[in-house]
Amino acid sequence: KSFTANEINKITGNTGQVWMHESFDHIIRSEKQLHKIRQYIKDNPIVSQVSQVSQVSQASSLRRSNDSQAGSLTHDDSQAGSLRHTERSAYRFKSNAIQNSIYGVDIDDGAVEIAKLRLWLSMVVDEERIGTIEPLPNLEYKIVKGNSLINIPDGTVVNDSLAKEIEKLTTAYFHITDKEQKQEQKQIIDEKIAEQLKFVSEFAGYDIDFDFKLYFHEVFHEKGGFDVVIGNPPYVEHKKLKHIAFLLKQIYDVYSGSSDLSVYFFEKGINILHPNGNLSYISTNKFFNTGYGKFLRKYLLKYQINSIINFEQVEIFEKVLVSSAVLSISSVKPTQEQFFNYTEFYKEKDWRTEFNRRIEQSKQFRQSLFDEKEWNF
């Protein structure tokens, strides 16, 4: 996030933290700054990385569009001469996707704010008419701060009446247009959520500050989970996790006394998918061949592996030489005839130029030939 912030500051001639609310408002409200940022994104799509957000937005919106929600793309607000709600434009498509189909959680406040900013930038880069640009769709209770690994345990007693009240209040919140009334409603919701989290924390015996089913209840009510989970799990060595190791051991089947933090995100990600949902992570590939990876390898083989793109000693992230892998997994039981695609890049500096060709030439491996032992391709 700091890289993105520095680049935006460089363009706008500002200093400081871009993701702070006052700076966020300044960028949105200044037409001059908007022109600069939009032009920079168009001229430097790879460096700005906004194109990545755009692709996610377009893919994610398909669920809502196919679930009879596409009408919001052509909604008419009865304003004379207004075209922005009646056109099926890239701008409206992305706005609908962001508002109805994208959810996110991060433990860091800054990451949450920069995510909101980049989502908004992904919309405005496609809108030529400055006068028609709207504020970012309300992302309260959609892009949130919290610990995504430590949630309300299954089977824990919750305050049912309070849970229903929170669902009712948050549903109504998105339809309130008055700013003061909206702020009052948010304060009430936050207090109710805090009360529920305190209630379940007492039963669980440890602090819980976030829960997917509590914050994103509509996703689980409608479909039983997410269609797609995308992430870049953090790599943190086990020796730095001593303060939460006892909790991870209670919660996760993939726990090992020496596992790094990233392995737990795989189990969490798959658990919040709906049946036949898809998980796509870019993560360290250390679990392929380590002792602590045994439990994760065993766990992942219970599901359908679609593809693995393995980057051995390749600089995927700028100035960071690490070994990573992109895994695509579906939350369905694999058949004995299940094959997955495998592509490998080894110490290659120009992997980007070769990427598409190499993907087309992927090898195929039968999944049933793999087990909890080390994965060698």
Side-chain angles (χ1 to χ4, degrees):
K1 57 183 179 290
S2 59
F3 173 79
T4 307
N6 289 335
E7 288 300 308
I8 293 175
N9 281 335
K10 190 186 299 181
I11 304 162
T12 61
N14 293 333
T15 60
Q17 295 177 308
V18 174
W19 52 81
M20 296 302 288
H21 291 288
E22 58 269 25
S23 299
F24 185 48
D25 289 342
H26 175 64
I27 292 173
I28 292 177
R29 295 165 191 255
S30 168
E31 185 172 333
K32 182 179 178 181
Q33 303 285 39
L34 175 61
H35 279 298
K36 285 184 179 181
I37 294 171
R38 287 177 64 250
Q39 191 58 50
Y40 177 81
I41 294 169
K42 286 187 175 182
D43 294 341
N44 303 273
I46 295 177
V47 175
S48 65
Q49 299 182 22
V50 172
S51 58
Q52 297 176 16
V53 179
S54 303
Q55 292 165 10
V56 172
S57 300
Q58 293 174 27
S60 300
S61 67
L62 294 178
R63 175 175 71 83
R64 294 286 184 171
S65 297
N66 291 335
D67 289 345
S68 303
Q69 299 265 356
S72 62
L73 293 174
T74 56
H75 175 67
D76 183 4
D77 63 355
S78 301
Q79 294 181 8
S82 174
L83 295 176
R84 61 190 177 196
H85 290 297
T86 60
E87 293 183 348
R88 297 180 66 88
S89 64
Y91 178 83
R92 295 300 306 162
F93 191 77
K94 290 179 184 179
S95 178
N96 180 68
I98 291 169
Q99 191 161 14
N100 295 311
S101 298
I102 294 180
Y103 298 79
V105 57
D106 197 285
I107 202 167
D108 181 73
D109 273 320
V112 171
E113 291 306 317
I114 204 68
K116 293 177 182 179
L117 173 58
R118 290 176 69 173
L119 284 170
W120 185 79
L121 291 175
S122 75
M123 291 195 308
V124 302
V125 72
D126 287 319
E127 183 54 66
E128 297 296 335
R129 297 162 298 176
I130 301 300
T132 66
I133 291 178
E134 302 170 343
L136 180 70
N138 196 309
L139 296 178
E140 294 290 347
Y141 313 113
K142 293 291 184 72
I143 309 294
V144 302
K145 177 190 176 183
N147 186 334
S148 55
L149 286 181
I150 300 176
N151 304 157
I152 300 174
D154 291 338
T156 300
V157 176
V158 299
N159 186 327
D160 289 330
S161 61
L162 187 56
K164 291 178 181 178
E165 188 176 2
I166 291 170
E167 292 179 14
K168 183 178 179 181
L169 289 168
T170 52
T171 300
Y173 176 82
F174 293 107
H175 300 286
I176 299 173
T177 56
D178 181 78
K179 185 176 180 180
E180 291 185 4
Q181 186 180 353
K182 205 174 190 73
Q183 187 59 38
E184 291 176 0
Q185 181 85 337
K186 182 180 182 303
Q187 185 175 346
I188 294 172
I189 294 171
D190 289 345
E191 290 173 356
K192 298 292 183 182
I193 289 176
E195 184 180 348
Q196 182 73 292
L197 290 174
K198 182 180 179 182
F199 180 84
V200 295
S201 294
E202 291 175 354
F203 274 91
Y206 51 83
D207 290 338
I208 301 170
D209 69 355
F210 171 80
D211 183 76
F212 282 94
K213 294 179 181 179
L214 175 63
Y215 275 82
F216 309 143
H217 50 81
E218 65 273 20
V219 174
F220 294 90
H221 287 332
E222 290 178 16
K223 306 198 71 171
F226 292 95
D227 295 299
V228 178
V229 173
I230 300 173
N232 173 209
Y235 176 82
V236 180
E237 293 178 308
H238 181 77
K239 63 184 179 181
K240 298 180 180 179
L241 305 176
K242 292 180 180 179
H243 61 296
I244 58 170
F246 73 101
L247 293 178
L248 298 174
K249 186 175 182 179
Q250 291 179 41
I251 299 169
Y252 293 98
D253 294 335
V254 298
Y255 175 83
S256 165
S258 55
S259 295
D260 72 84
L261 188 63
S262 66
V263 304
Y264 306 110
F265 282 89
F266 279 94
E267 184 173 341
K268 171 56 70 175
I270 290 174
N271 282 343
I272 60 175
L273 288 170
H274 73 69
N276 202 30
N278 292 284
L279 176 142
S280 183
Y281 276 175
I282 179 168
S283 174
T284 173
N285 64 9
K286 285 191 174 184
F287 75 88
F288 287 176
N289 305 108
T290 57
Y292 72 71
K294 172 183 176 180
F295 299 105
L296 178 57
R297 294 192 294 269
K298 182 179 180 181
Y299 180 83
L300 294 181
L301 289 171
K302 295 192 298 182
Y303 302 95
Q304 178 179 299
I305 300 175
N306 301 311
S307 65
I308 297 175
I309 306 173
N310 196 12
F311 296 95
E312 286 288 348
Q313 299 180 50
V314 176
E315 190 177 299
I316 300 297
F317 302 104
E318 187 175 4
K319 298 179 181 179
V320 180
L321 184 62
V322 295
S323 293
S324 307
V326 178
L327 291 91
S328 173
I329 301 170
S330 297
S331 58
V332 294
K333 184 178 179 179
T335 66
Q336 285 296 313
E337 302 304 316
Q338 169 65 23
F339 284 79
F340 64 85
N341 294 325
Y342 177 81
T343 309
E344 182 173 304
F345 296 87
Y346 180 71
K347 292 184 177 180
E348 298 178 39
K349 294 183 179 180
D350 61 345
W351 65 271
R352 289 179 175 83
T353 60
E354 290 289 310
F355 186 80
N356 290 336
R357 183 182 66 82
R358 297 279 287 281
I359 292 296
E360 291 175 358
Q361 298 174 354
S362 296
K363 297 179 182 179
Q364 287 199 324
F365 289 93
R366 187 191 297 269
Q367 184 171 328
S368 60
L369 296 178
F370 290 78
D371 55 27
E372 63 190 39
K373 296 177 181 178
E374 293 184 12
W375 290 1
N376 296 299
F377 304 95

